[in-house]
Amino acid sequence: MAASWEAAVSDVRAAREASLAKVEPRLQGLPEGLPRNSTGLAKVVLSPRELEITENYTITQLLAALRERKLSVEEVTRAYLRRAALAQAATNCLTGLLWDEAIERARYLDSLPEPKGQLFGLPISTKEHHGMVGDNVTSSASYACWAGKQHNSNLLYDTLWDEGCVFYARTTQPQTIMHLETESNLYGLTVNPFNRDLTPGGSSGGEAAMLGMRASILGVGGDIGGSVRCPCSHVGVYGFKPTLKRISLLGQRGHMAGKEAILPTAGPMALDREALDLFMKVAISAKPWRIDPSLSMQEWTPYHFDRPLKIAVQWWDGVVRPHPPMLRAMKEVSDACKKAGMKIVEWDCEPLNHRKGWEIITSLYWPDGGKEVMGLLNSTGEPILPLTKFIIEEQPSVKDLSQAELWQRCVERDQYREAYARAWNKTAEEDGQEVDVILCPASFGAATPHRQSRYWGYTANWNLLDYPGAVFPVTVVDPSKDPVDTSYIPKTEEDKFVHDMYSPDKYVDAPVSLQLIGRRHHDEKVLAALAEIERAMGR
Amino acid sequence: MAASWEAAVSDVRAAREASLAKVEPRLQGLPEGLPRNSTGLAKVVLSPRELEITENYTITQLLAALRERKLSVEEVTRAYLRRAALAQAATNCLTGLLWDEAIERARYLDSLPEPKGQLFGLPISTKEHHGMVGDNVTSSASYACWAGKQHNSNLLYDTLWDEGCVFYARTTQPQTIMHLETESNLYGLTVNPFNRDLTPGGSSGGEAAMLGMRASILGVGGDIGGSVRCPCSHVGVYGFKPTLKRISLLGQRGHMAGKEAILPTAGPMALDREALDLFMKVAISAKPWRIDPSLSMQEWTPYHFDRPLKIAVQWWDGVVRPHPPMLRAMKEVSDACKKAGMKIVEWDCEPLNHRKGWEIITSLYWPDGGKEVMGLLNSTGEPILPLTKFIIEEQPSVKDLSQAELWQRCVERDQYREAYARAWNKTAEEDGQEVDVILCPASFGAATPHRQSRYWGYTANWNLLDYPGAVFPVTVVDPSKDPVDTSYIPKTEEDKFVHDMYSPDKYVDAPVSLQLIGRRHHDEKVLAALAEIERAMGR
C-alpha cells in the first residue's frame, strides 16, 4: 500500500504511462485540443492497415481470418494495441496497456503449428478489477488502498485464455465500481468517445469507451445494477447481462466478498451481436461449475423461435419518464416489430412498483450500510466522489442491517420476484402465448453529462429480478426529431431531475440504445429475440 | 397465541385428540403396555383388508391399482388413516389426523369419471411446518408461540394436490426443527417404531415413524442438516435430499425467513426407492420456477449409466468413527458393488477437513446467534430442550454476526465447496473416469437412544456442499456380528462420546442405512446409482 492516496495515484499513473510508453510506432498526428467527438481520430492517427484490421471485420470474420492465418495474431494484436493507446489518449479508458505481454502471447499463438481454441488470436479487453492471467498482476478495483495489490487470474479469464485469446488492455472503472459512470481518484474521468462532455456510462465505462473507439471488438464487463448494459448503451454497442450463476465470478477482486443477496455477473460487451452468443458459448462450454460449484449446471443451448415473437413494450418504468430520443427509439423498434408480424403488447409495470424495487436493491447493495467500502476509502483519505455519496449516503434504505433486517429485505426481494413472475405468467392468459421478452429503454436517455447518472431504475430493476438483458444500438440523438417535451409535467423529484436534464444540444452525436429482457434463465431466448428484432429492423 | 406455553400445549394436544377421535372403527386390541418394537402391532389392530392395502403394494403397484380403480381411493385412504392412528398411538408421530378432509378428498377423487393426475389417490403424509392445502389450516413449526397460527398451502403441496394425492396426516418435528431427533414441548417425544428406546431421528422424525409403521407410503420432509436422511436411515426406509433450488420452499413456515447462506430443501421419504424418482418427477414437471423464480429451471431428466459405476467409499469422516454395524453395512455394500464389477476407490476426506465444514455450517445455521429462535421460545417461556441448546448455545461458532462476518463465513463456505469440487475432479486423473458417487454412512450408527444425537457430520457436510444425497436400508444391528470394537481409541471428545454410546444391546432391531452422495445438480445420477447398487446387492 502506498504511503498516501496521492502517492497511490502517482504510482498507478506512472505505471500506466510506462505501459503506454511501449507503443511503437508512437501515436502521431493527435490534434492539440481533442475534438468533442473522438471517433474520427483513428483515421488521422492509425495506418490504413491498422484501420482495415480494426474496422473491416466482424468478430466472426476476424476469427475466421485468424484461424485461416490470413491475418497473423501479432499484426492484429499490434493494431488493437495501437488503437487502444489512441482510445486512452482520447477518452482516458485504460488502467494499463499490456504491450509486451500481448505481443509475446501473439507470437506464441502464431508459432503454433495449428491454430487452436474458439477464440484463437482474438484480442479481448478486460475490466481492471477482474484480475488477469499472468504473474505479478495487480489490481486495485479503483481503491487507492489497493493500488499495487497482488492479484491473479480468474476462472472466466482462464477459460478465454485456454481458448486462445490475447489480453491486451485493462480498463477503467469508477470508485467503488458502483457508479453508472466512470471516474476514480486513481485514474480520473473516462469520457464518451462520441462526445467528451458525456459519460461513457459505468461501471464498465473503460470497456465502453474502448468499444466506442473501435479499439476493442470484445470486452468483458460486470453488471450488478447496469454496469455492462448502461455503458454499452451509451456508446451504441452490444452488451449482455446473463442470469446469475452462468458465468463464474471466481477470482475477481471486489469489496464485500461473500455477500450474496444481490450479486454481479460478468458479461460481454461487443461491437457485434454474435459476439454475445460466442462469449456465452465459450464461457459455458468449459463447464465452469466443475470448479465453481455455485454455478448452474446448464449448457449453452441456442434458442430458435418457431413463431413470431410476442413482445411486451415497457414505455417507462412508472418512476422516471425517458427522454424524447429514447421514446422515439422505442417507437421505431416496436413499430418495426409490429410491421414484421410480431405481437406487441404493453408491459404495465406500475402495479409491480419499480420504486419499491429500487428501495430493496439499494439496501441489499450495502447491507452493512457501506461500512466496508467507506472504510477502504477512508483508510487512505481519498476523496469520496459525488456519485459514491449518491449511491450510498443518499439512499434512504441504505443502513447497517442486523441479520433479521437482512432476511426481511431478502423476503421483500423474493416477493418482488414472485409478483413479477406471476405477472409474466399472466401474459399467456388471453391468447395462450406468453410474452417472450420485454422491450424497454436501456436507460432514461442517452449518455448523460458527467456526474448526472443518478437514476439506475432502467437497468437495476432487472438485476433485482435476475433477468437476463441485452442492449443494442438503435439511433442517435437528433435535435430535429427529439425536441424537449415541454408539455410533460414531472411526477416526482427524480422525474423532474431527469426531465430537466434533457435538451438536444447537450447530446450531440450521442447513441441511443434499447434493452431486451427475458425471464430468469432465458438467456438464450433473449439473444435469439434480439436477432429477430434486428431482422425486423432491417439489419 | 395462547396465554402461556402450557396453554398452547393443551390446545394443540386437544386438537390432535379431537382429530384422532374421528377414527372409525376405533382402534381395538392395543396392548396395555406398548412393546419395545411396535411394528408388529398392525397385525393385531388392523383388519386383514387394511393390512393388505398398506402392506402388499409398492407405490407403483398402489398407483396402478388406484388408476385402474381396482382399489377405491376411499378404502385406501381409510386404511392409511387407521394405520396412521395406530402409528400415533405407538410412536407419537402426528400433530393431527386429517380424517374428514382426507375422506372428503377421497370421495371427490372416486367421483371423477376418469382418474387423473400422476398421484391419483395416493395418500401422502406431510411435515407440519410445511402448511397444508385447505382453509383454516394452522401450523406452529413446533413453537408454542405459533400454536394455532394461520397457515395456508405451499407451492410444492399445491403440485402434489393437483396431481391427485390425498393428504391425510401431519407429522411431528422437534423444537426449532433443528434436532436430529423429534421432541417438542407442544407434542412431546416421538419414538422409533422398531425400538421405542431409540429416536426415529429428526427433524422429519414424525414422517419416519409413520413410514417405519408402514402408516405412510410416501411422506414429505425437509433437510438442512440431515432432517430427511437421518430419520429415514433410522427406520430403514428411503430418503432423498435433492440439490437446493429444485424443489420449492415457497409457502413453508420457518423461522429466519429470508436467510439464505444455508438453506433447507424438501425431499421425499418413502418405503420404495421408485417413490423418490416419482416425487422428484412430479414436483419438477409442474415447472415450479414459473412461480418461484429462485428455482433452477431444470427438468427432471432420469440418468442411465452406460458403464459400471465408479464409487468412492468414505469409511469415516475424519472426525467421528462410525459404530460397528455401520462399518459392517459399508463393507457389505462395497463388497457387493465390487463383486458386480464396479470400480471401488477410497474417498479420503481428511484433507478436506469436515470439522472445519461443521464450524462453517453451524455458524451459518444461526447467523444471528440464535436470537430470533430464542426469542420465539422465550416469548412464551417454553423450556429450551437439551438438543436445542446443543445446536445453538454449545456450538462455539454460533454468534450474532456482523454483515462482514457473515460474508467471511460465506467465503469460507465457498472455498470449502471449491476444494471439494477440485478433489472430485481429481478422481478422474488416474483412469479418466470420474467418481460417480460417494458411498458413506448415513449417520455414525443406527438410531441413537433419545437425546444423544449430538453429531451431525455424516449428513450436514452434504448440506454445506449442497450435494444431493439418498439414504437406503441395508441391514439391522446384529449383536453377533457387531460387537463393540474395544481396540479402538477415540481421537477426540466427540469421537469418544460416539464410541462410548455404542453397545449392541441398546440397539435391538435397529435398522442400519447407508448414504449415496453425488455432485451438486447430479440428483438424477444419484438415484440411478442407487438403483445400480441395489441391483448389485441382489435386490
Side-chain angles (χ1 to χ4, degrees), chain A residues 42 46-57 62 75-76 78-81 83-84 213-217 271:
Chain A
L46 300 184
S47 72
R49 178 67 172 159
E50 287 167 338
L51 291 172
E52 189 209 320
I53 289 173
T54 53
E55 296 188 2
N56 290 9
Y57 294 86
L62 184 64
E75 66 181 334
V76 170
R78 283 181 178 271
Y80 272 99
L81 279 164
R83 196 156 182 147
M213 290 294 289
R214 296 194 71 102
S216 173
I217 191 163
L271 297 184

Side-chain angles (χ1 to χ4, degrees), chain B residues 8-9 11-13 15-16 88 92-96 128 138-143 147-148 171-173 182-190:
Chain B
V9 171
D11 289 353
V12 302
R13 294 201 185 182
R16 173 166 72 179
Q88 165 59 21
N92 190 36
C93 57
L94 296 187
T95 66
E128 193 255 11
T138 65
S139 72
S140 68
S142 300
Y143 290 105
T171 59
T172 52
Q173 68 244 332
T182 300
E183 182 175 20
S184 69
N185 293 312
L186 286 183
Y187 292 104
L189 183 71
T190 305

Side-chain angles (χ1 to χ4, degrees), chain B residues 175-180 358 362-363 365-366 385-395 398 453-454 456:
Chain B
Q175 187 175 62
T176 72
I177 323 183
M178 286 293 282
H179 306 176
L180 291 187
W358 179 243
T362 44
S363 175
Y365 281 150
W366 316 101
L385 301 183
L387 289 181
T388 301
K389 290 184 186 160
F390 160 75
I391 195 61
I392 302 178
E393 294 174 358
E394 295 168 25
Q395 300 304 320
V398 173
S453 296
R454 290 168 172 266
W456 296 25

Side-chain angles (χ1 to χ4, degrees), chain A residues 1-2 23 59 69 72 95 118 136 151 158 247 250 271 304 336 435 492 529:
Chain A
M1 188 171 131
V23 175
I59 194 167
R69 297 195 146 162
S72 78
T95 66
Q118 300 177 76
N136 299 317
H151 195 169
D158 285 347
I247 305 288
L250 199 68
L271 297 184
H304 299 284
V435 155
T492 63

Side-chain angles (χ1 to χ4, degrees), chain A residues 256-261 290-291 293-295 367 372 401 403 407 410 413 418 422 425 434 519-521, chain B residues 256-261 290-291 293-295 367 372 401 403 407 410 413 422 425 434 519-521:
Chain A
M256 300 187 279
K259 177 173 93 74
E260 57 188 352
R290 290 180 49 79
I291 290 173
S294 75
L295 300 180
E372 176 175 321
L401 302 176
Q403 296 296 333
W407 306 334
C410 290
R413 176 200 64 193
E418 185 187 340
R422 290 185 186 272
N425 291 343
E434 180 174 295
R519 297 188 80 150
R520 184 163 183 257
H521 296 304
Chain B
M256 301 187 279
K259 177 173 93 75
E260 55 189 354
R290 290 179 51 78
I291 290 173
S294 76
L295 300 180
E372 176 173 323
L401 302 176
Q403 297 296 333
W407 306 334
C410 290
R413 177 199 65 194
R422 290 185 186 272
N425 292 343
E434 181 173 295
R519 298 188 78 152
R520 184 162 184 256
H521 297 304

